[in-house]
Amino acid sequence: MKSVERAGARAWARALWRRIAEPGQWSRRRVAGECVLAVVLALLAAGTEALGGPGGLRTLLVAVAVATVSLLRRALPEAMLIAAGALGGSTGGGDLLLIVVAWSAGRRIDGVLRATVSLCASFAVYEAFDLWPWPEAAPAPAVFTAVGFLVLAVVPGLASRYWVQRRTLLRTLQERNLQLLRERQMIAGQARMRERQRIAQDMHDSLGHQLALITVHTGALEVDHELTGRQREAVAVLREASVAAMHELRAVVGILGDGTPGEAKPAAKGVAGIPSLVESAAAAGTPVHLAESGEPRPLAPTADHAGYRVAQEGLTNAYKHAPGAPITVSLRYEPDSLVVEVANGPVPQVGAGHRAAVSGGQGLTGLWERARLVGGMLHAGSTEDGGFRLAGVFPYGAGNGHGPGDAHGSGSTRTTSDSAVDDFWRQNGAAPLGEGEPVIDQLDPREELKSIMGTRKRSNGCLIIAGTGLLILVGLMAAALFGVGSLVDEADKGAIDPQDYASVKVGDPEAQVRHALPSGSSLLTSHARSKLPAKPAGSTCLVFLSTADEDDSATDTVYRFCFKDGKLADKREFHVKS
């Protein structure tokens, strides 16, 4: 049986040591802060003890006890709360320690019942040590002690407990909102996937059918013997364009179907297809020239396809808005990036009956989005000679990250010139569609959570702190008013004028003397009773302080009236140390 008890004691000691020396609780910063706090509390307690008493060994023991309790309050909150109550009641320097320990215990004691029991035990020892040695009538001192403990321990403990519970609730609400946002994103993603699949199916069924018909008819025209050679070349260009459109439609349908727009499909063309694009344009009669410089280097699939789209969009818009103008397509392999540029000369003079080409107004917007998604940049603007230039810059190795143009990334800048508009509208003087309309972007879930949870977080925290401080201030003011009133009442009951002392004679009836004097049951005279000589045998005595000013501030004049057999048997005047 003893071995089992010893094993249990050793296990308890090891668990206690782990709680005290747990690495997670004692970082270097916390060790320094705890040591500084313990030293400050110990010095304040020692200074208070030295001012209120002779000092010496008692002062040293109080300082050591305060420092020890301060250091152990995190590991043993219940025990240290009781110990702080004992130090606060028995010493003059333990009140500040009690505030610190109560605040720490309020957030670390698990369970309302344990916290209540710990506070009651701490109050009991605080009351016992504060009132020792107990006077004959202790109701008034007990009330004072209860109010003091309420301000020093109960209010900080409850405030700390409320603060921790509020932070826990706030953290739970944040996790719940994050979960709801993730679920909402999943639902929105599934809805987008279904819509993409529907669009892909519609494109395949409608556009695929029409392009197939165009391919068949142009193939039949190409072998028609009535066509001239130049007409057959034009029909061949149309057939090749329709076949290429079929391949690209299949690539787009595949991207829409599996919902991975960042992944380039094998059917999608890249920068290597730009020369054939230029050859097709030249075969159709467009004055276009291809210029290449630098050593070719591979790009990520998405960046490669984006470069091809820049050249394709530049040629298409030059056909529509600057027909007949010379076009230059440049591929420059720089040390860190590829530059794809399409520049056309000024728009030739056309007759009054010339009509501006119809455009959807979304060309450059789509290109800018492609460049942003692969970490590149896009520029569009007029040239010095009155022409137009479209250029895209695509870093090697970039493919799926958010680039400098990402609206949610750092350094967000749209590199498209403000003077440039979609589909080269400025070349023919027309105004762009949708200019000045606001851009609506999806809100980042983290920003949305910040707006949900942080709308009044700071103001609520300030209100809570202000409310707690106001509560403590009101409690202190109430305790001060109550204390002043009680002190006045105690002074009325425990002090008499020297003339009253002189007017009472030995042998006067007890009832007459008691009627002429106060009750005498005062807290102010409790310390003087222990310093007076023993009272006469078989008598009851009243003790009063003198209201006269003393020459020596360290000495009090005390009057004692002793009654026996219904008469005043003895009255004496004493001078005791205060």
Side-chain angles (χ1 to χ4, degrees):
M1 186 66 180
K2 292 183 178 180
S3 61
V4 173
E5 292 178 353
R6 284 196 295 269
R10 285 195 297 269
W12 178 85
R14 285 194 296 269
L16 176 61
W17 176 251
R18 282 196 299 268
R19 291 179 63 184
I20 295 175
E22 185 179 353
Q25 288 191 4
W26 297 97
S27 61
R28 292 182 179 178
R29 194 174 190 178
R30 177 163 290 177
V31 167
E34 290 294 325
C35 291
V36 170
L37 179 61
V39 170
V40 170
L41 292 176
L43 291 177
L44 290 175
T48 305
E49 283 296 312
L51 291 175
L57 181 60
R58 174 184 169 85
T59 302
L60 178 62
L61 292 177
V62 168
V64 172
V66 168
T68 303
V69 171
S70 176
L71 292 174
L72 295 179
R73 75 183 194 282
R74 292 178 178 270
L76 302 172
E78 298 96 334
M80 294 303 103
L81 180 60
I82 298 174
L87 286 172
S90 60
T91 64
D95 292 341
L96 184 59
L97 173 70
L98 183 58
I99 297 175
V100 175
V101 174
W103 175 270
S104 179
R107 61 194 309 175
R108 287 179 172 82
I109 298 179
D110 297 330
V112 178
L113 181 60
R114 292 181 62 181
T116 304
V117 171
S118 301
L119 277 174
C120 291
S122 180
F123 172 68
V125 296
Y126 182 86
E127 188 95 358
F129 280 98
D130 189 68
L131 298 179
W132 183 265
W134 294 354
E136 297 177 3
V143 172
F144 280 118
T145 305
V147 173
F149 186 82
L150 174 67
V151 174
L152 297 175
V154 177
V155 172
L158 292 179
S160 174
R161 195 169 189 83
Y162 169 76
W163 184 261
V164 171
Q165 290 177 350
R166 180 182 179 276
R167 290 181 59 186
T168 303
L169 178 60
L170 180 62
R171 192 179 303 112
T172 304
L173 290 176
Q174 289 175 341
E175 293 174 356
R176 176 62 176 167
N177 276 274
L178 283 175
Q179 181 181 355
L180 292 176
L181 289 174
R182 286 193 293 266
E183 291 177 357
R184 191 182 71 179
Q185 285 183 325
M186 292 174 61
I187 295 172
Q190 293 174 357
R192 286 195 299 268
M193 180 62 67
R194 288 194 297 267
E195 185 65 16
R196 287 156 103 52
Q197 291 173 353
R198 186 189 65 79
I199 295 173
Q201 188 65 38
D202 291 344
M203 292 177 62
H204 180 272
D205 294 342
S206 60
L207 295 179
H209 175 70
Q210 300 297 332
L211 288 175
L213 288 178
I214 294 173
T215 304
V216 171
H217 285 295
T218 53
L221 283 174
E222 191 175 6
V223 297
D224 191 347
H225 297 291
E226 296 182 0
L227 297 179
T228 63
R230 185 173 181 83
Q231 289 174 336
R232 284 194 180 92
E233 289 180 2
V235 171
V237 171
L238 291 176
R239 186 180 61 81
E240 290 177 2
S242 63
V243 172
M246 285 288 293
H247 287 302
E248 293 186 9
L249 178 62
R250 293 192 186 99
V252 172
V253 168
I255 291 174
L256 290 175
D258 62 10
T260 54
E263 244 181 81
K265 300 299 176 184
K269 292 186 178 181
V271 175
I274 293 180
S276 62
L277 190 65
V278 173
E279 291 176 1
S280 299
T286 303
V288 59
H289 171 69
L290 175 65
E292 296 185 68
S293 62
E295 182 179 354
R297 293 178 57 181
L299 281 83
T302 50
D304 197 26
H305 185 60
Y308 176 82
R309 287 301 186 193
V310 168
Q312 186 181 48
E313 185 70 19
L315 288 172
T316 301
N317 283 284
Y319 299 155
K320 292 191 295 184
H321 302 292
I327 305 173
T328 301
V329 179
S330 302
L331 295 178
R332 299 197 299 272
Y333 290 92
E334 304 290 347
D336 56 350
S337 60
L338 168 66
V339 179
V340 181
E341 180 181 283
V342 179
N344 63 272
V347 180
Q349 297 294 329
V350 295
H354 174 73
R355 297 173 59 186
V358 178
S359 175
Q362 299 297 323
L364 290 186
T365 301
L367 286 180
W368 177 82
E369 183 66 16
R370 287 179 181 272
R372 181 185 69 83
L373 291 175
V374 300
M377 296 184 296
L378 185 72
H379 171 79
S382 301
T383 59
E384 296 181 356
D385 60 356
F388 203 85
R389 183 170 69 98
L390 175 66
V393 181
F394 305 99
Y396 302 122
N400 297 320
H402 296 297
D406 190 351
H408 301 298
S410 59
S412 174
T413 56
R414 180 168 180 168
T415 56
T416 304
S417 173
D418 293 339
S419 62
V421 292
D422 287 353
D423 288 343
F424 294 44
W425 281 97
R426 290 278 176 91
Q427 293 194 59
N428 52 28
L433 296 176
E435 184 175 6
E437 294 179 358
V439 177
I440 301 175
D441 196 6
Q442 185 178 2
L443 187 63
D444 191 336
R446 292 171 296 181
E447 297 297 327
E448 185 174 355
L449 176 64
K450 187 184 298 184
S451 66
I452 292 173
M453 301 304 298
T455 304
R456 296 183 59 83
K457 180 178 178 181
R458 182 171 298 181
S459 60
N460 288 341
C462 294
L463 287 175
I464 292 172
I465 295 174
T468 304
L470 181 61
L471 179 62
I472 296 175
L473 180 61
V474 170
L476 290 174
M477 292 178 62
L481 292 175
F482 181 79
V484 170
S486 299
L487 285 175
V488 172
D489 184 63
E490 292 293 317
D492 291 339
K493 294 188 296 183
I496 62 174
D497 190 85
Q499 296 180 359
D500 295 334
Y501 172 76
S503 63
V504 178
K505 306 298 182 181
V506 176
D508 290 346
E510 180 178 356
Q512 178 183 344
V513 175
R514 288 184 178 274
H515 179 74
L517 298 177
S519 63
S521 56
S522 173
L523 175 66
L524 300 178
T525 60
S526 59
H527 74 283
R529 290 191 182 96
S530 60
K531 300 178 181 180
L532 298 179
K535 61 183 179 180
S539 62
T540 58
C541 299
L542 293 178
V543 178
F544 300 96
L545 294 177
S546 175
T547 59
D549 295 333
E550 301 291 341
D551 295 335
D552 186 3
S553 59
T555 303
D556 292 331
T557 300
V558 181
Y559 303 126
R560 187 175 72 177
F561 301 88
C562 296
F563 303 96
K564 186 176 181 181
D565 299 332
K567 294 183 179 181
L568 179 62
D570 181 64
K571 75 167 189 176
R572 292 190 183 184
E573 177 181 341
F574 301 94
H575 297 279
V576 299
K577 294 293 184 180
S578 57

